[in-house]
Amino acid sequence: MVLLLMAIMVALLLLNFPMLLTMIVAPLTILLNYFPNVNPILAIQQVVAGVQPFVLLAVPMFILAADIMSAGQTAKRLLDFVQTFVGHIHGGLGITTAATCTLFGAISGSTQATVVAIGKPMRNRMLESGYRDSDTIGLIISSAIIALLIPPSISMIMYCVVTGASVGDLFIAGVLPGLLILAFFSVFIYFDARRKNIPLSNRLTFKERMVSFKKAILPLGFPVIIFAGIYSGFFSPTEASAIAVLYALILEMLIFKTIKPRDLPKIALSTGAVTASVFILVAAGSLFSWAISYARIPQIITAAILGVDPSALRILITVTFAYFIGCMFVDSIVVIIILTPIFFPLAMAAGIHPIHLGIVVTLQAAIGSISPPFGCNIFTGIAIFNRPFLEVIKGLPPYIFMLVIISVLIIAFPQISLLLVP
């Protein structure tokens, strides 16, 4: 049964069928062949139920907020603000890129939006300052994955939809791992720039820094509002997403005046297209999860891979490899929907905290998104920077290596994930 499921999925993917059909046809084939008495109407009910959780409303809202800010001045003001404080040190522009990706990730929750909003203007600045193009692109698409760890994160929302874990708790748990990634990247960038003799920028005066801070203070209000609102209990993560859209509209349309009312239909269309693709996968994934659970495939797979009564460490290591490899080939949302129902019950039985598991899963999704051959950020970089595949991936190995080290630390020290969780 398991071999048939895998054979069908591989065959459909090799025949270039879309992931949607792969996730529907494969489990339905298993049900019809091995459980002919199952009413097919149940499958339709599962598809519809997959997109009914209230928390999913946050996904299109955060995507819309990111699209609005990408079209406006938010990203540029954040870039200028960070650069005024660290631009004069070795690797200052590179550290600026990593730090701004972190800040923008705390607003958008999307790695692709971060690559577009931060990557376009920052790449030109770095090239003019003597950075190599492959190093620059590698830094940009690697730093963008911090958006998956720093809330609001769409991948975290999907994990919570599948498992029922607290979105707010997972959001706050992602802060320290995200900052840890930023710290690792910044140290590497500093010494790499010294080794390659990248020219230093001029140190700006206190007055110039304050001018930049005043311009960035309103964009910096995004994460403050979201965090303060959620953790004070004033509004839920879903309500926070709607407030993020309202705040983005006020900033870009009324204060910065970079977006006109005529621009909104185009922005909304872009958001609608991305949201539709996400929700279609979520609906198909709900059917897939239900079908494999009904067929007890998770128990069969975990027994074959992990044996009887595996340790928590062994489960976490297996989860790390499974999600990392999966996200190298398909989008993290698909991997989370397919694999989480398999490993989550076993992890809970072994006493692993659901939030700690969520951070491990999200981090592997982040690493997979910049790992060849099909990491989604790689192809976003190819499209945005118009560079060949080999040049885009040339600068990635140091960052992937650092992320592997961070994965080991998070598995070994769960406190990194759980310290801020109430």
Side-chain angles (χ1 to χ4, degrees):
M1 184 163 53
V2 175
L3 291 177
L4 178 60
L5 176 72
M6 296 176 64
I8 294 172
M9 294 186 69
V10 170
L12 291 176
L13 290 174
L14 290 176
L15 291 172
N16 207 29
F17 280 84
M19 181 59 69
L20 165 67
L21 290 179
T22 302
M23 295 173 66
I24 291 177
V25 172
L28 282 181
T29 303
I30 296 299
L31 286 177
L32 293 175
N33 275 276
Y34 292 93
F35 306 95
N37 294 327
V38 173
N39 191 336
I41 294 179
L42 292 176
I44 299 174
Q45 292 175 344
Q46 292 301 317
V47 170
V48 175
V51 292
Q52 286 183 332
F54 179 73
V55 71
L56 279 177
L57 287 175
V59 174
M61 292 294 186
F62 281 128
I63 293 173
L64 178 57
D67 285 344
I68 292 170
M69 291 180 289
S70 296
Q73 282 192 4
T74 298
K76 182 180 181 303
R77 288 175 180 245
L78 291 175
L79 275 172
D80 293 340
F81 165 67
V82 177
Q83 187 175 349
T84 58
F85 286 88
V86 300
H88 62 281
I89 66 176
H90 289 286
L93 281 180
I95 296 173
T96 297
T97 301
T100 309
C101 286
T102 303
L103 287 174
F104 196 79
I107 297 170
S108 67
S110 168
T111 62
Q112 289 92 335
T114 304
V115 171
V116 174
I118 306 301
K120 280 185 174 180
M122 207 61 210
R123 178 178 175 234
N124 294 332
R125 297 188 192 187
M126 294 182 69
L127 292 178
E128 291 170 359
S129 298
Y131 288 83
R132 291 187 301 187
D133 200 18
S134 59
D135 292 341
T136 299
I137 295 174
L139 167 62
I140 290 169
I141 66 176
S142 297
S143 299
I145 68 166
I146 302 177
L148 287 183
L149 274 299
I150 296 288
S153 165
I154 294 172
S155 294
M156 288 182 174
I157 294 173
M158 297 314 306
Y159 172 84
C160 292
V161 168
V162 175
T163 64
S166 167
V167 176
D169 287 351
L170 191 55
F171 274 7
I172 194 67
V175 173
L176 286 183
L179 294 178
L180 184 62
I181 295 173
L182 174 61
F184 267 71
F185 284 9
S186 298
V187 171
F188 168 76
I189 293 164
Y190 174 83
F191 287 105
D192 189 56
R194 290 194 63 172
R195 182 174 63 87
K196 294 176 179 177
N197 294 318
I198 302 296
L200 297 176
S201 302
N202 294 327
R203 182 191 293 268
L204 298 181
T205 65
F206 178 79
K207 182 179 180 180
E208 290 172 319
R209 290 177 177 179
M210 287 300 100
V211 170
S212 177
F213 174 71
K214 289 178 181 178
K215 291 182 179 179
I217 193 168
L218 291 177
L220 289 171
F222 271 101
V224 174
I225 291 174
I226 291 173
F227 274 95
I230 292 175
Y231 300 112
S232 67
F234 191 74
F235 47 73
S236 69
T238 305
E239 294 166 338
S241 65
I243 292 171
V245 172
L246 177 62
Y247 193 60
L249 287 171
I250 292 173
L251 282 190
E252 302 294 355
M253 292 187 67
L254 302 181
I255 299 176
F256 300 158
K257 298 182 179 179
T258 52
I259 294 179
K260 307 296 181 185
R262 64 175 179 268
D263 299 323
L264 292 180
K266 182 179 178 180
I267 294 172
L269 182 63
S270 172
T271 300
V274 175
T275 301
S277 64
V278 170
F279 274 48
I280 286 173
L281 291 175
V282 172
S286 176
L287 170 61
F288 186 95
S289 299
W290 172 76
I292 66 172
S293 297
Y294 188 88
R296 295 185 59 82
I297 289 177
Q299 290 83 345
I300 297 172
I301 293 177
T302 52
I305 296 175
L306 296 170
V308 180
D309 195 25
S311 66
L313 179 60
R314 187 175 180 182
I315 292 172
L316 287 173
I317 292 174
T318 304
V319 165
T320 296
F321 279 102
Y323 280 85
F324 171 63
I325 294 172
C327 292
M328 289 170 60
F329 294 93
V330 294
D331 188 84
S332 62
I333 292 176
V334 175
V335 178
I336 289 172
I337 291 172
I338 292 176
L339 294 185
T340 304
I342 296 175
F343 291 106
F344 185 76
L346 202 63
M348 296 304 99
I352 299 172
H353 198 292
I355 300 302
H356 182 214
L357 180 66
I359 294 299
V360 173
V361 166
T362 306
L363 180 55
Q364 301 320 304
I367 302 173
S369 70
I370 62 169
S371 298
F374 301 120
C376 60
N377 272 23
I378 294 175
F379 291 95
T380 303
I382 290 172
I384 296 301
F385 304 125
N386 194 27
R387 305 306 301 165
F389 178 85
L390 291 178
E391 185 171 337
V392 170
I393 67 172
K394 186 178 180 181
L396 293 176
Y399 300 100
I400 295 176
F401 179 73
M402 285 184 281
L403 290 167
V404 170
I405 294 175
I406 293 170
S407 295
V408 173
L409 291 174
I410 288 177
I411 290 174
F413 303 101
Q415 298 86 349
I416 298 175
S417 302
L418 302 176
L419 183 63
L420 298 180
V421 178

